[in-house]
């Protein structure tokens, strides 16, 4: 238990939660905020509703809070970064933590972030493990596929659970002074906004720490259609991040769109030449082999009944991201359209 001296040395923390139509998960998220093992007088919750049409606002109004809380209802369909910036604008904390109402933080979430940021002045942000949850077998398969190297490439969420410095974290905590210096979330990037902000923080000379000691539990999409749509927007938004920060580019960002483009070209050539037909067959064969191997390996760990589901999950993620990346490249780089996100 913390003594009074240690409590006085801890920073005040603002949790900023953006949400829209999250009545199914919101009560659990709010309960997790209440259950934090951090002094209640040293943190606050700022919930920003982005235009809910369900009972989310009612839940916020009637929830039995014991911590300081504020609910902002600006109206309209706000994107996540726009809602976050509104919340940050009224936050009192020396540390700002981004929360997602589609999941909930571990009990030590605030403490784990605050202690590390306060102990290491060079840190600009801290984040933890994203634990995928599923309420149905389909959602479980989608969540596990999202933590697979075959699904999303090598990174802190797929390459082990060791504490270390990374390029980006999700649902992270930030020093307020760093946000004042580098700016808050870019509202043009409506999906994957964490990556763009985190890269600015690194380029400003700060480090970002990933630690498995804290966790954020996230409910995976429950259908292949919703998973495909999620990754469609991820791929679309990635092109905006790369337009602003070309040095953020990694090979893994290009593999899905390159594969989709190669499929389209070889499919077109297949109508006119044997070479095109062989190329198409070769691409499909190589991908299917990789898909079968990755699904088999994951099914050995999670259960064979998930094997056919993993085939669909991986395909939905890869095709969604690849198509989204190509769409974003065409819209924002070639046609110079303004970005729009759900």
């Amino acid at each position: 238990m913390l003594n009074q001296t240690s409590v006085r040395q801890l920073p005040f923390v603002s949790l900023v939660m953006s949400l829209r139509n999250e009545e199914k998960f919101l009560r659990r998220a709010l309960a997790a905020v209440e259950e934090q093992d951090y002094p209640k007088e040293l943190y606050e919750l700022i919930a920003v509703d982005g235009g809910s049409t369900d009972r989310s606002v009612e839940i916020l109004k009637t929830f039995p809070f014991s911590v300081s809380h504020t609910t902002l209802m600006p109206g309209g369909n706000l994107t996540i970064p726009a809602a976050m910036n509104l919340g940050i604008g009224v936050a009192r904390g020396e540390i700002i933590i981004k929360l997602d109402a589609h999941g909930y933080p571990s009990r030590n979430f605030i403490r784990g972030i605050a202690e590390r940021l306060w102990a290491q002045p060079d840190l600009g942000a801290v984040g933890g493990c994203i634990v995928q949850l599923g309420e149905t077998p389909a959602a479980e398969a989608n969540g596990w596929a999202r933590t697979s190297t075959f699904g999303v490439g090598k990174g802190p969420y797929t390459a082990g659970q060791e504490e270390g410095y990374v390029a980006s974290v999700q649902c992270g905590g930030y020093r307020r002074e760093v946000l004042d210096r580098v700016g808050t979330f870019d509202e043009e990037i409506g999906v994957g906004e964490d990556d763009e902000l985190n890269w600015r923080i690194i380029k400003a000379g700060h480090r970002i720490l990933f630690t498995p000691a804290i966790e954020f539990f996230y409910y995976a999409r429950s259908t292949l259609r919703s998973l495909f749509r999620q990754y469609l927007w991820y791929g679309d938004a990635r092109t905006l991040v790369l337009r602003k920060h070309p040095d953020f580019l990694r090979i893994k960002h290009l593999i899905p769109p390159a594969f989709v483009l190669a499929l389209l070209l070889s499919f077109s050539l297949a109508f006119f030449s044997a070479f095109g037909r062989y190329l198409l067959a070769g691409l499909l064969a190589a991908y299917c082999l990789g898909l079968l191997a990755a699904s088999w390996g994951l099914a050995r760990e999670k259960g064979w009944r998930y094997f056919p589901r993993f085939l669909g999950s991986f395909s939905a993620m890869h095709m969604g991201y690849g198509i989204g990346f190509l769409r974003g490249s065409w819209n924002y780089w070639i046609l110079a359209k303004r970005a729009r996100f759900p």
Side-chain angles (χ1 to χ4, degrees), residues 34 47 52 61 78 81 90 115 216 257 284 306:
E34 287 282 328
S52 294
K61 290 180 177 179
L78 291 183
V90 301
E115 288 180 347
F216 189 87
L284 290 174
Y306 293 102

Side-chain angles (χ1 to χ4, degrees), residues 6-317:
S6 61
V7 167
R8 285 197 297 269
Q9 293 173 347
L10 292 171
F12 189 82
V13 177
S14 294
L15 306 174
V16 181
M17 176 188 289
S18 63
L19 66 130
R20 187 197 304 171
N21 294 333
E22 293 289 359
E23 66 172 329
K24 186 175 182 180
F25 307 107
L26 185 54
R27 285 191 180 87
R28 182 66 187 88
L30 298 178
V33 170
E34 287 282 328
E35 294 163 2
Q36 291 295 300
D37 64 352
Y38 200 76
K40 279 188 164 51
E41 68 272 20
L42 289 181
Y43 71 97
E44 66 176 349
L45 172 68
I46 300 171
V48 186
D49 181 75
S52 294
T53 55
D54 62 2
R55 298 179 59 251
S56 294
V57 173
E58 178 185 342
I59 292 171
L60 287 171
K61 290 180 177 179
T62 59
F63 189 84
F65 287 104
S66 63
V67 300
S68 175
H69 65 282
T70 302
T71 298
L72 302 179
M73 295 176 291
N77 294 323
L78 291 183
T79 61
I80 293 174
M84 283 298 303
N85 289 344
L86 283 176
I88 292 171
V90 301
R92 297 178 289 143
E94 299 164 276
I95 290 175
I96 307 293
I97 294 180
K98 178 179 184 287
L99 286 187
D100 191 325
H102 200 75
Y104 60 91
S106 60
R107 188 170 181 269
N108 66 336
F109 200 75
I110 298 178
R111 178 172 54 82
I113 289 175
E115 288 180 347
R116 284 166 175 79
L117 284 176
W118 235 233
Q120 294 182 245
D122 65 322
L123 289 181
V126 174
C129 290
I130 304 298
V131 180
Q132 301 289 331
L133 301 177
E135 296 185 300
T136 65
E140 288 179 326
N142 289 343
W144 287 326
R146 295 190 68 202
T147 64
S148 166
T149 302
F150 184 75
V152 297
K154 187 176 181 180
Y157 304 109
T158 60
Q161 303 296 317
E162 295 183 0
E163 185 164 303
Y165 301 108
V166 295
S168 186
V169 290
Q170 301 173 34
C171 291
Y174 302 89
R175 288 181 180 274
R176 181 60 178 263
E177 61 188 66
V178 172
L179 294 181
D180 290 341
R181 190 178 311 120
V182 305
T184 53
F185 292 93
D186 188 331
E187 297 185 16
E188 185 184 9
I189 300 175
V191 177
E193 66 287 343
D194 307 83
D195 290 337
E196 195 278 332
L197 172 58
N198 293 333
W199 197 244
R200 271 188 280 133
I201 289 173
I202 289 176
K203 292 173 76 171
H206 302 280
R207 292 195 291 183
I208 295 176
L209 181 70
F210 165 81
T211 174
I214 59 175
E215 298 172 315
F216 189 87
F217 299 89
Y218 182 85
Y219 292 95
R221 297 299 190 267
S222 59
T223 66
L224 290 181
R225 180 179 180 181
S226 58
L227 183 67
F228 173 85
R229 181 175 173 81
Q230 181 182 23
Y231 274 80
L232 182 75
W233 286 112
Y234 281 170
D236 189 292
R238 180 73 69 199
T239 63
L240 288 172
V241 177
L242 294 175
R243 188 178 69 179
K244 294 174 181 293
H245 307 287
D247 51 349
F248 184 72
L249 179 65
R250 300 292 182 270
I251 293 297
K252 68 177 183 179
H253 300 153
L254 299 178
I255 293 176
F259 175 67
V260 171
L261 186 60
L263 279 181
L264 292 173
L265 292 175
S266 60
F267 182 79
S268 301
L269 288 174
F271 285 100
F272 306 104
S273 69
F275 171 76
R277 291 188 286 274
Y278 289 130
L279 180 61
L280 178 61
L283 286 170
L284 290 174
Y287 180 72
C288 287
L289 284 174
L291 183 63
L292 287 168
S295 299
W296 181 82
L298 199 53
R300 283 187 64 187
E301 177 186 351
K302 304 299 184 182
W304 291 109
R305 69 191 181 105
Y306 293 102
F307 177 76
R309 296 188 185 277
F310 289 142
L311 297 174
S313 299
F314 285 131
S315 299
M317 291 164 60

